[in-house]
């Protein structure tokens, strides 16, 4: 069986990471959450006063981009891959609404994207990788053997994010989350640098009415076909 690259792109809060993690675990591949990388850069900016009133101080960020070190480590206890920013576990902090509200601005900056894309490409040396994001099938791995483009309505996605935050004890009003989801869709699709779009050879799936189990089986069947 050959080892392949699986690229999963789509709108925010579509369940891309659930899908990607499930597949990676089932087939023994590495999983990389590219959104966590843009979230970490956003947190770095917030902590270092590089975003004021929704505007990024790009000159200062450009000077300091080399100081931002992002790693993923598997936590045996929680059984999840966790994100580290300069040696500190920031897995929960990067998921807050404060970060979600500013990540689209940071991820639209060209030099930030180039730095992250280079890092993402460096993870694929031996293939056998599942990566999720917005531009994985179009920019990061245009030659990926399997590309998925995931969609669901903004209301369903906002409900999922609301439930996820609540489970983690970080409840936020549903209306604020829905607003954030719509805002990010717009910014992700209209930005000049690598806008969110479906790669021509990606398989599209609307998972709005699907259970996680159904989604898992759907993807595993396609994966098994592709690695034959
Ligand atoms: O998948 P997520 O919601 O954690 O992603 C956070 C943000 O990062 C999202 O608003 C868009 C951006 N992003 C991106 O521009 N490119 C990627 N490959 C992944 C995420």
């Amino acid at each position: 069986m050959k080892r392949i690259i699986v690229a999963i792109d789509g709108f925010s809060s579509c369940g891309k990471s659930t899908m990607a993690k499930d597949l990676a675990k089932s087939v023994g591949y590495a999983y990389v959450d590219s959104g966590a990388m843009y979230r970490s850069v956003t947190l770095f900016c917030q902590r270092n006063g590089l975003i004021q009133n929704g505007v990024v101080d790009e000159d200062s960020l450009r000077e300091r981009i080399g100081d931002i070190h992002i790693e993923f480590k598997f936590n045996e206890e929680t059984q999840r891959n966790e994100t580290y920013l300069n040696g500190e576990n920031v897995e929960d902090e990067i998921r807050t609404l404060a970060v979600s509200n500013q990540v689209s601005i940071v991820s639209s900056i060209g030099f930030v994207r180039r730095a992250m894309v280079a890092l993402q490409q460096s993870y694929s040396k031996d293939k056998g990788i599942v990566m999720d994001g917005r531009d994985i099938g179009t920019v990061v791995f245009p030659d990926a053997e399997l590309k998925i483009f995931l969609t669901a309505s903004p209301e369903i996605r906002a409900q999922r994010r609301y439930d996820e935050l609540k489970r983690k004890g970080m409840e936020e009003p549903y209306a604020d989350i829905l607003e954030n989801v719509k805002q990010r869709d717009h910014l992700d699709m209209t930005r000049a640098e690598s806008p969110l779009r479906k790669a021509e050879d990606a398989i599209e799936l609307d998972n709005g009415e699907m259970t996680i189990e159904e989604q898992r089986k759907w993807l595993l069947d396609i994966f098994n076909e592709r690695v034959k």
Side-chain angles (χ1 to χ4, degrees):
M1 251 198 295
K2 62 180 178 195
R3 285 168 76 77
I4 66 170
I5 294 179
V6 182
I8 301 182
D9 289 304
F11 295 97
S12 63
S13 305
C14 251
K16 296 184 299 293
S17 63
T18 303
M19 186 187 224
K21 268 184 248 173
D22 267 359
L23 178 68
K25 198 169 177 198
S26 308
V27 303
Y29 276 22
Y31 162 63
V32 177
D33 174 354
S34 68
M37 300 165 75
Y38 293 99
R39 287 173 177 275
S40 299
V41 178
T42 305
L43 182 62
F44 179 89
C45 290
Q46 290 175 336
R47 286 179 169 180
N48 292 280
L50 302 181
I51 307 183
Q52 305 287 351
N53 302 320
V55 179
V56 180
D57 177 351
E58 291 195 27
D59 289 339
S60 302
L61 178 57
R62 190 181 282 109
E63 269 173 27
R64 300 192 61 183
I65 192 95
D67 299 341
I68 304 178
H69 301 288
I70 300 165
E71 291 168 287
F72 296 100
K73 291 184 197 167
F74 188 72
N75 181 333
E76 290 291 343
E77 206 174 301
T78 57
Q79 286 288 303
R80 62 178 189 175
N81 237 351
E82 294 179 338
T83 314
Y84 283 73
L85 170 62
N86 293 339
E88 177 191 346
N89 186 334
V90 293
E91 183 58 31
D92 287 333
E93 204 171 343
I94 58 171
R95 312 286 165 193
T96 59
L97 205 49
V99 171
S100 299
N101 279 335
Q102 296 194 309
V103 64
S104 293
I105 321 170
V106 174
S107 63
S108 67
I109 301 172
F111 67 85
V112 172
R113 299 206 69 83
R114 285 190 285 280
M116 294 304 115
V117 168
L119 198 54
Q120 288 151 13
Q121 289 171 337
S122 75
Y123 294 140
S124 73
K125 296 267 180 297
D126 309 316
K127 298 219 174 184
I129 188 167
V130 185
M131 192 176 294
D132 71 337
R134 304 294 186 286
D135 59 343
I136 311 305
T138 51
V139 176
V140 183
F141 298 124
D143 297 329
E145 290 84 351
L146 174 56
K147 300 180 186 177
I148 307 293
F149 190 81
L150 213 51
T151 66
S153 74
E155 289 74 17
I156 286 182
R157 291 184 280 130
Q159 186 65 46
R160 288 178 183 162
R161 181 136 294 196
Y162 172 84
D163 294 341
E164 184 190 342
L165 286 170
K166 195 171 172 187
R167 265 198 310 278
K168 290 182 180 163
M170 302 191 288
E171 193 170 343
E172 302 274 358
Y174 170 80
D176 292 0
I177 296 174
L178 180 60
E179 185 51 38
N180 173 261
V181 164
K182 288 182 176 169
Q183 176 90 12
R184 282 205 287 153
D185 284 359
H186 178 73
L187 291 170
D188 289 349
M189 284 187 297
T190 55
R191 70 176 174 222
E193 290 275 344
S194 317
L196 169 64
R197 63 178 178 80
K198 176 180 168 295
E200 266 173 29
D201 51 349
I203 304 168
E204 186 167 342
L205 176 73
D206 182 330
N207 71 359
E209 302 297 326
M210 264 175 136
T211 63
I212 290 178
E213 196 44 50
E214 285 167 343
Q215 174 177 288
R216 177 183 294 141
K217 187 177 174 319
W218 176 88
L219 182 57
L220 205 51
D221 286 349
I222 295 176
F223 174 87
N224 285 331
E225 268 303 308
R226 289 288 160 103
V227 293
K228 258 185 204 162

